Amino acid sequence: RPKMRSFIAGALALLVSFLLAKCSCSEISSDSLRWRFQPGSAVSSSSRLNLRGGGSNVKFVTTCDSTKFGECVGLVGSCDSLGRWKNPIKMDGKDFPKWKASVSLNEGENIEYKYCIIGDSGKVLRWEGQGSSSNRKLTVTSDVLSKGEFHDSPVGIDAGGSGSHSHSSSKIERSHGTSKRDDHKPSGHVDWQITSKELDKFGAAIVKANQENGSWRQKLEFVKTLFYDKNLATASGFNQQEPETSHLAMIAIYLHFLSTGQVTCVEDGRHYRPNHHSMMASAIDEALDKIKKTPENAYVIRKIHPLLPSYSSAYTAQVPLTRIRDIAHRSDIPKEMKDDIKHNLQNKLHRCAGPEDLVTAERIMKQAESGHYSAAFMEQMRIFMVELREFFNAGGLEDRLTEMKGKGEPNAEGIKLIDEFLSQKRTSSDFRAKLKALIKLRKNFDSFISTVPHGEAKQRARLTDVSLEQFAFVLLAEAAQILEGQGANLDWKMAVEAAIGALENGYLSESVDVKEAEALRKEGEAMLSSSSLNLHRLKAWLDRSIRLCTSFSDAMQDLFLAHVGPLGNSLQVDPHAAAVFVEAEVRASVVFQLSRILTASIKFAKKAMNAPPWAALQPGKAAGRLVEHQSLANLLDHHKGGETEPLIAFLEHAEGDEDIPPFVKGIVLAEELPLLSHLGVRARQQGVVFVCSDGPEAFKELKGKQGSSWGQFVELNVNVGGSVTVSRTELRPERGQEEEAAAVVDLQSNADLTVSEVLACEKASEETCGAKSAAAGEISRIAAKGGADFKAPPGCALPFGVMMKAAKPSWGRYVEQAKEFDAQATSGQLAEELAARMRSFASSEWKVPKDVTSAIMRSFPADARVMVRSSANCEDLQKVSGAGLYDSIANVEVKEEEALASAISRVWQSLWTKRAALSRRSAGLKHEEAVMGVLVQQMVAGDLSFIAFSSNPITRDPNQVYIEMCVGMGETLASAGQAGTPYRFTYDKSKGEAAVSSLASFSFALVPADGKGKELKEEVIDYSSIPLHTDEALRSSLIKRIAKAVMLLAKERGTEQDVEGVVVLDSKEPQVHIVQARPMVLAAVSS
């Protein structure tokens, strides 16, 4: 009989499918349709209604007359009730061409949504608009909720393909190139490009297991077995003890596709009650708890927990969810309803449960609510729906909190905080009060989760915390909406308070770096406690906070984007569902709302400061063919060898220590750069017009205006004030006309190679030890004079003769290999390989004599740490700076002779970094004439570092000293390897006045690392504890002292100076130490 009933049911299903295929969806009431859960299928509006509890029903009404036979309109969007871009709601078309769907919404929500066309199989056939830029937007006001209906503008979808409509948010034209992120919308808009790369071994194992296992239980069992069956894990390429983060991400993606129905679950012909699913979920969670948490995997593991069924004791019981059995046997419901419940829900749920059962239950519940059934039956159905939602972890926030309180969880203090939060949630109209109560509660939950053992209590707390995070998202959306509406009258204190709340929620959700978020919180609270607004301080804080948001979206890309496309394609997931997966993750995060708050705030700050969107690193005019590349390295590899045509390059990124090829005449950079970085110095030396964007918007806007100019000759015009234009030109420079004359330097006659013993810096000369060592000796002599308000670190110098003595036995072979470099290094890759070969040669052949290291050790205290710096005969010269081309080694223990010798060898080898070798070749310098001296200085572990020019290199104003500073060691400034802005100051020599251009926004300081053989380490900066940031009087005094020291060096050395130094703040009076000085080398301003 069971087999016969199954056969008859199957035959009837086929008949119904045949009849539906013959009918237009617009002619059939949605209530009469029975939707089967399929990959990519639409979910009826009833099945999504109040899935997570709460909210009020709003009926969306629109018109669309472009559906074909058998099609209907779908509605999908950013909130739970709109399917979070994953499962469209099927709209009711019985009043064709009008289409209707009821959606549960909450007041204050800012939703984005769009319409689509769905086929009779439930698959999405066509979408309204292209990408998220065409999304419609709606703020859910009390007026919208009170009306209960929202009459939308018509759907703009052509019958034959995708379309768009003017109601959607303003479109963003795709800029030239293939940038992965469209930063026109820093508030979180992302145009993700799904990769088509092949699956790795683990991804292939998931696909194979999915094909072999039909039911939800079997698919969950495969995931569980990965953690417990060593043979399966090995065969799948899965490390059970330390899983790769990418593999955990694939598990999260797969479980997500299962829970949303994108991957089909079918019955497997066996009978397993839901308690089996619950026990598997418990086993998976227990395995996840044993994995060592890292900043990389913590977020992914958190994403997996809510995708598993509940393993509360009610569901691990031998016969769980029995209420539906009793309901199916009630005598107060008609036979049709009874059979529907028994065959389509009860039996299916108890023999082969799956997410599709929740859809069925929602359908039956809606049918019951629309009929006339007994109060007792309806009460039991409502209780069952709560139980079923809890099993599938789809319960509402207040239901979860009430359940926890009923079980005495998490603890006495937590129960008190639950009451406080619920009181604020229900009665307060101030989002800040609700947000503060929510954060207190989440912190209590965080402590409870970290200490309670594995079990149902831990799962309850985790899932409730996820619901609290979702409510925080709503509160922050409300704040963002208010701030966006304030414009130039933005309440900055409210903005900072909201941002701090978002940061705290972010690190509680493990979606942002905890130390970075905590530092930002402290600095934000310090600003709030101040009596007045410092716009420079606010802007620096906002810039740093925005980078945190960008890091999150980049992390989402790294975690999921590379896998969701190949995995989704192999699992036959609807392409759009895969395409929106990452963006849905970003937009569903509190970090997305943080980015909206910050974007509104940064617009206010920039307008209030009248800040230009561009920083002119080297102003002037330049002409060339317009090209776009990710970086200078990418440009070099693309334009291999023999390039003579001038280029104007738009670049996404710069490392800060690259060499600029001679054919690049102008650079427009998408990010900020310390103006006195090595790259900035080289641009000014070569006369390359160079401008940096203060944010992604300006770069994208300028880039988007180029249109047909790509590949054509243009003129780049950059003025000192930050105005930038790019215009087409017919004027093309004659070949070679635009080249600067190469600096003529006779390296051979400039070097005395006869001295081979270690010298005190005061005895070093440019001819014996290099300009840097000679300058160090001169700085020491100037510092010792009366009136010099700075110190110089003690040191010694290794003459050129030390290297030449070590290199003499192998010199012939060295010269031959150097000539091979020039002949064979025709691309960036080949140059790197050949330069590495030269470094290896120097390392193996040139040994540092023991008498040299012994002499250095005698020159310093036994516990000293030293800087081992390059001092080549081709750097720090009047005509050739060579800034940053050669290496310096920090934090070397002078008592460790082996470490000292290794550091000296590394400096010698740095003659052959790729950038140094290419720079010499470009300047026409012979490699065999380049020799390396070494400057060894006692290291000053300064609190601050600076680079200062005695004449402003940007404006070319000789009456101004220009200073850039950072917290920690100066490598942050020189290399420009870290995103952010340095402190920027000017000093007017005639007026004796200091001025601030910007306060620093770097996230990390480089400080000496502890331990043998360690150089520098990163430490997160808390600017609220940095006196230079908070004390205006100290800042002004320090700027004047540094400026006067630089002016004195310029006067004593007879030329404008480029100076590096450190500041020690430990004592009552800050100490200024000058460690390097070199002549400023600037090309003539391009005109």
Side-chain angles (χ1 to χ4, degrees):
R1 288 181 180 178
K3 290 182 179 179
M4 181 60 71
R5 283 198 297 269
S6 177
F7 173 78
I8 294 171
L12 287 172
L14 286 172
L15 177 60
V16 171
S17 298
F18 173 77
L19 292 173
L20 286 175
K22 294 296 184 180
C23 300
S24 168
C25 287
S26 62
E27 298 169 355
I28 300 178
S29 166
S30 62
D31 291 337
S32 67
L33 296 177
R34 295 291 181 266
W35 285 83
R36 184 182 176 189
F37 210 85
Q38 297 178 6
S41 67
V43 180
S44 68
S45 57
S46 62
S47 69
R48 276 289 168 190
L49 217 54
N50 292 318
L51 187 64
R52 295 188 180 276
S56 302
N57 286 351
V58 174
K59 182 176 287 185
F60 278 65
V61 182
T62 188
T63 59
C64 178
D65 58 4
S66 60
T67 52
K68 296 179 181 179
F69 189 76
E71 297 176 345
C72 62
V73 176
L75 174 62
V76 68
S78 57
C79 60
D80 283 333
S81 53
L82 285 172
R84 287 208 176 274
W85 299 112
K86 299 161 187 173
N87 294 306
I89 298 170
K90 180 187 69 65
M91 302 187 77
D92 185 348
K94 63 183 178 183
D95 297 326
F96 183 85
K98 286 189 176 181
W99 299 84
K100 302 176 184 179
S102 290
V103 180
S104 177
L105 299 176
N106 295 294
E107 185 176 354
E109 277 187 298
N110 290 286
I111 63 170
E112 294 191 20
Y113 66 98
K114 65 170 56 179
Y115 296 99
C116 58
I117 300 297
I118 300 171
D120 57 9
S121 66
K123 290 267 189 173
V124 175
L125 304 178
R126 300 185 296 284
W127 289 90
E128 180 182 41
Q130 294 292 327
S132 58
S133 59
S134 61
N135 291 350
R136 299 177 182 232
K137 296 181 180 179
L138 175 66
T139 298
V140 184
T141 62
S142 58
D143 184 55
V144 171
L145 295 178
S146 64
K147 288 180 179 178
E149 279 194 356
F150 175 63
H151 288 265
D152 212 347
S153 55
V155 177
I157 307 179
D158 297 333
S162 61
S164 61
H165 198 272
S166 59
H167 180 82
S168 62
S169 59
S170 58
K171 290 191 177 66
I172 299 165
E173 293 183 10
R174 290 198 62 81
S175 54
H176 180 80
T178 56
S179 176
K180 291 180 180 176
R181 191 170 61 249
D182 189 339
D183 288 316
H184 270 298
K185 287 193 175 182
S187 59
H189 172 86
V190 181
D191 278 337
W192 301 105
Q193 295 185 348
I194 299 297
T195 179
S196 58
K197 76 172 191 177
E198 293 183 2
L199 287 172
D200 65 7
K201 184 178 181 180
F202 182 69
I206 290 178
V207 174
K208 182 173 182 291
N210 185 71
Q211 293 169 343
E212 294 173 348
N213 298 291
S215 67
W216 188 44
R217 177 193 60 80
Q218 289 176 318
K219 296 175 194 292
L220 284 177
E221 188 167 24
F222 164 73
V223 175
K224 185 209 79 171
T225 309
L226 283 170
F227 291 97
Y228 292 94
D229 187 321
K230 187 174 181 179
N231 293 331
L232 175 65
T234 302
S236 303
F238 183 75
N239 186 326
Q240 291 178 325
Q241 279 68 45
E242 297 180 1
E244 293 181 24
T245 304
S246 62
H247 291 170
L248 292 172
M250 280 193 266
I251 290 173
I253 293 168
Y254 179 55
L255 291 174
H256 164 82
F257 286 152
L258 283 174
S259 67
T260 57
Q262 295 296 332
V263 170
T264 307
C265 293
V266 296
E267 293 197 48
D268 55 24
R270 306 179 70 183
H271 286 247
Y272 283 90
R273 296 188 185 278
N275 60 325
H276 290 85
H277 306 65
S278 294
M279 289 185 287
M280 282 187 284
S282 176
I284 293 170
D285 260 358
E286 188 171 18
L288 291 172
D289 285 340
K290 293 177 180 177
I291 296 172
K292 183 180 178 181
K293 290 282 188 73
T294 67
E296 291 74 27
N297 68 24
Y299 179 82
V300 185
I301 292 173
R302 179 179 170 86
K303 297 304 294 184
I304 294 174
H305 293 309
L307 299 172
L308 301 171
S310 170
Y311 44 88
S312 169
S313 56
Y315 306 113
T316 56
Q318 188 172 2
V319 186
L321 294 167
T322 56
R323 189 180 307 276
I324 193 63
R325 180 184 61 191
D326 298 333
I327 290 172
H329 289 83
R330 292 183 67 91
S331 59
D332 56 352
I333 55 176
K335 184 176 185 304
E336 182 184 357
M337 171 70 81
K338 185 182 297 188
D339 288 344
D340 193 6
I341 294 172
K342 183 175 182 180
H343 300 304
N344 296 325
L345 185 56
Q346 177 207 334
N347 292 346
K348 165 66 171 64
L349 183 64
H350 284 169
R351 69 173 177 262
C352 192
E356 62 273 19
D357 297 325
L358 185 58
V359 177
T360 301
E362 292 281 358
R363 173 185 60 75
I364 293 173
M365 186 66 198
K366 183 179 180 182
Q367 183 179 342
E369 288 173 336
S370 63
H372 300 286
Y373 297 96
S374 70
F377 166 72
M378 293 303 297
E379 180 187 15
Q380 290 301 303
M381 276 297 295
R382 290 190 183 99
I383 295 172
F384 170 73
M385 290 305 299
V386 170
E387 293 171 345
L388 190 63
R389 288 191 186 109
E390 287 178 356
F391 174 69
F392 287 107
N393 284 326
L397 173 57
E398 293 203 18
D399 289 340
R400 292 190 186 282
L401 290 171
T402 302
E403 181 187 14
M404 289 193 69
K405 275 186 61 179
K407 294 181 179 294
E409 296 168 355
N411 45 46
E413 176 66 17
I415 291 171
K416 180 182 175 183
L417 291 172
I418 288 174
D419 288 334
E420 289 177 5
F421 166 71
L422 288 175
S423 174
Q424 289 288 348
K425 180 177 182 290
R426 293 164 180 166
T427 62
S428 176
S429 59
D430 183 1
F431 82 88
R432 284 171 284 197
K434 288 186 276 192
L435 194 59
K436 287 178 181 177
L438 181 145
I439 291 168
K440 286 182 181 178
L441 181 56
R442 290 198 67 193
K443 287 181 177 178
N444 180 275
F445 275 31
D446 184 61
S447 176
F448 176 73
I449 292 167
S450 66
T451 56
V452 70
H454 170 74
E456 60 178 290
K458 190 166 196 166
Q459 188 190 37
R460 267 194 298 273
R462 273 181 176 147
L463 298 179
T464 307
D465 184 60
V466 170
S467 295
L468 285 167
E469 178 189 1
Q470 291 168 350
F471 188 72
F473 178 92
V474 175
L475 293 177
L476 293 166
E478 178 185 344
Q481 182 186 2
I482 295 169
L483 293 166
E484 287 166 344
Q486 291 176 345
N489 298 315
L490 181 131
D491 181 343
W492 72 271
K493 287 198 170 185
M494 174 184 169
V496 172
E497 283 182 319
I500 289 172
L503 287 165
E504 291 186 286
N505 274 285
Y507 69 67
L508 286 167
S509 301
E510 300 179 291
S511 52
V512 297
D513 182 84
V514 175
K515 290 182 179 179
E516 178 77 345
E518 181 64 10
L520 285 165
R521 182 191 65 78
K522 289 179 180 178
E523 169 66 355
E525 289 179 347
M527 285 193 294
L528 290 172
S529 66
S530 62
S531 57
S532 60
L533 170 62
N534 183 323
L535 282 168
H536 287 299
R537 188 174 182 182
L538 176 63
K539 183 178 180 299
W541 185 80
L542 292 169
D543 286 342
R544 183 179 180 184
S545 301
I546 287 172
R547 286 203 309 273
L548 196 69
C549 298
T550 304
S551 297
F552 172 74
S553 62
D554 289 345
M556 292 301 95
Q557 178 177 349
D558 293 339
L559 283 171
F560 297 117
L561 196 61
H563 310 296
V564 68
L567 194 59
N569 182 59
S570 299
L571 294 170
Q572 298 183 333
V573 169
D574 177 71
H576 183 78
V580 301
F581 175 87
V582 179
E583 184 166 357
E585 286 296 320
V586 171
R587 286 175 173 267
S589 167
V590 293
V591 181
F592 172 71
Q593 299 301 348
L594 171 62
S595 70
R596 290 180 61 199
I597 294 164
L598 297 173
T599 299
S601 304
I602 200 73
K603 287 178 181 177
F604 158 78
K606 286 181 178 180
K607 189 170 183 179
M609 295 172 69
N610 196 25
W614 298 95
L617 192 147
Q618 168 71 1
K621 292 182 181 179
R625 191 177 297 281
L626 186 63
V627 296
E628 176 196 13
H629 291 282
Q630 277 294 114
S631 64
L632 272 173
N634 180 260
L635 182 149
L636 278 168
D637 284 337
H638 189 268
H639 299 272
K640 295 179 180 178
E643 182 74 48
T644 57
E645 188 174 54
L647 300 179
I648 304 295
F650 274 59
L651 302 178
E652 298 281 347
H653 176 66
E655 296 294 339
D657 59 358
E658 303 95 326
D659 195 38
I660 302 175
F663 52 83
V664 173
K665 300 303 169 186
I667 293 175
V668 180
L669 185 63
E671 58 189 8
E672 290 190 288
L673 193 73
L675 303 185
L676 301 188
S677 64
H678 293 321
L679 184 58
V681 170
R682 290 173 202 146
R684 286 186 285 274
Q685 290 170 4
Q686 296 173 219
V688 176
V689 177
F690 201 139
V691 65
C692 305
S693 172
D694 184 37
E697 303 101 314
F699 180 81
K700 291 295 183 182
E701 182 181 357
L702 183 63
K703 181 177 162 184
K705 288 179 179 179
Q706 301 317 307
S708 61
S709 295
W710 297 103
Q712 305 300 313
F713 266 80
V714 300
E715 181 180 80
L716 171 64
N717 189 351
V718 177
N719 69 25
V720 173
S723 172
V724 183
T725 60
V726 181
S727 55
R728 290 281 287 273
T729 180
E730 296 301 322
L731 180 64
R732 303 192 181 199
E734 295 292 331
R735 183 166 296 184
Q737 169 191 329
E738 75 287 347
E739 299 291 343
E740 294 283 342
V744 180
V745 179
D746 185 354
L747 294 181
Q748 199 166 32
S749 63
N750 195 42
D752 179 353
L753 309 180
T754 62
V755 182
S756 58
E757 68 270 7
V758 176
L759 302 176
C761 281
E762 290 77 5
K763 295 183 180 180
S765 68
E766 186 173 317
E767 292 74 23
T768 59
C769 302
K772 188 180 292 183
S773 294
E778 195 172 352
I779 293 167
S780 296
R781 289 191 291 272
I782 296 170
K785 290 183 179 180
D789 190 17
F790 62 86
K791 298 180 179 181
C796 59
L798 276 66
F800 303 135
V802 176
M803 188 199 92
M804 291 305 296
K805 186 176 180 180
K808 186 175 181 179
S810 59
W811 191 252
R813 288 182 290 131
Y814 170 77
V815 172
E816 288 178 7
Q817 290 192 23
K819 290 178 178 178
E820 288 177 9
F821 177 90
D822 281 342
Q824 298 176 17
T826 56
S827 71
Q829 180 63 34
L830 284 171
E832 180 56 58
E833 292 173 0
L834 291 166
R837 187 178 74 173
M838 294 300 293
R839 292 195 299 274
S840 178
F841 180 93
S843 175
S844 61
E845 298 290 340
W846 302 352
K847 300 301 181 185
V848 180
K850 188 175 180 61
D851 62 321
V852 169
T853 52
S854 297
I856 295 172
M857 294 168 73
R858 291 194 298 271
S859 303
F860 298 95
D863 60 349
R865 289 176 178 258
V866 295
M867 292 287 298
V868 182
R869 304 181 187 274
S870 66
S871 183
N873 65 336
C874 46
E875 65 174 323
D876 288 7
L877 306 179
Q878 286 278 4
K879 296 181 179 179
V880 178
S881 168
L885 292 179
Y886 308 101
D887 290 348
S888 293
I889 314 302
N891 202 28
V892 180
E893 291 184 90
V894 75
K895 65 182 179 182
E896 297 291 337
E897 188 171 13
E898 186 178 335
L900 195 58
S902 174
I904 294 168
S905 175
R906 287 169 61 188
V907 172
W908 286 349
Q909 292 170 50
S910 71
L911 276 170
W912 285 98
T913 61
K914 182 179 80 169
R915 60 183 184 274
L918 291 176
S919 178
R920 285 196 301 273
R921 186 171 73 176
S922 175
L925 304 178
K926 296 180 179 179
H927 299 300
E928 63 270 23
E929 293 182 1
V931 288
M932 181 65 75
V934 178
L935 171 63
V936 183
Q937 290 177 307
Q938 187 163 338
M939 190 175 74
V940 182
D943 298 291
L944 305 165
S945 296
F946 65 85
I947 298 176
F949 277 27
S950 59
S951 174
N952 193 318
I954 314 302
T955 63
R956 304 299 176 98
D957 184 354
N959 190 49
Q960 273 190 346
V961 176
Y962 182 86
I963 304 168
E964 291 190 346
M965 300 184 73
C966 69
V967 179
M969 303 293 283
E971 182 65 15
T972 300
L973 294 173
S975 71
Q978 184 183 166
T981 306
Y983 293 101
R984 289 182 177 138
F985 310 124
T986 54
Y987 178 77
D988 189 301
K989 298 175 185 177
S990 58
K991 296 179 180 179
E993 294 178 351
V996 178
S997 300
S998 70
L999 295 185
S1001 67
F1002 292 125
S1003 296
F1004 304 100
L1006 292 174
V1007 299
D1010 299 325
K1012 183 178 178 180
K1014 302 293 181 67
E1015 294 180 27
L1016 302 177
K1017 65 179 181 180
E1018 288 184 341
E1019 281 189 356
V1020 175
I1021 303 171
D1022 171 14
Y1023 283 107
S1024 66
S1025 66
I1026 305 299
L1028 185 67
H1029 213 81
T1030 59
D1031 189 333
E1032 291 187 23
L1034 179 142
R1035 184 163 61 232
S1036 179
S1037 171
L1038 196 54
I1039 293 169
K1040 291 177 182 179
R1041 286 185 61 191
I1042 293 171
K1044 289 180 179 179
V1046 173
M1047 291 160 62
L1048 177 62
L1049 287 169
K1051 179 182 177 182
E1052 292 287 337
R1053 302 196 74 200
T1055 183
E1056 300 289 8
Q1057 293 292 293
D1058 168 359
V1059 180
E1060 297 181 24
V1062 299
V1063 178
V1064 178
L1065 296 173
D1066 289 341
S1067 60
K1068 292 183 179 180
E1069 182 70 18
Q1071 299 175 10
V1072 177
H1073 299 254
I1074 304 296
V1075 297
Q1076 290 188 62
R1078 61 177 69 87
M1080 286 178 63
V1081 181
L1082 298 175
V1085 176
S1086 303
S1087 63

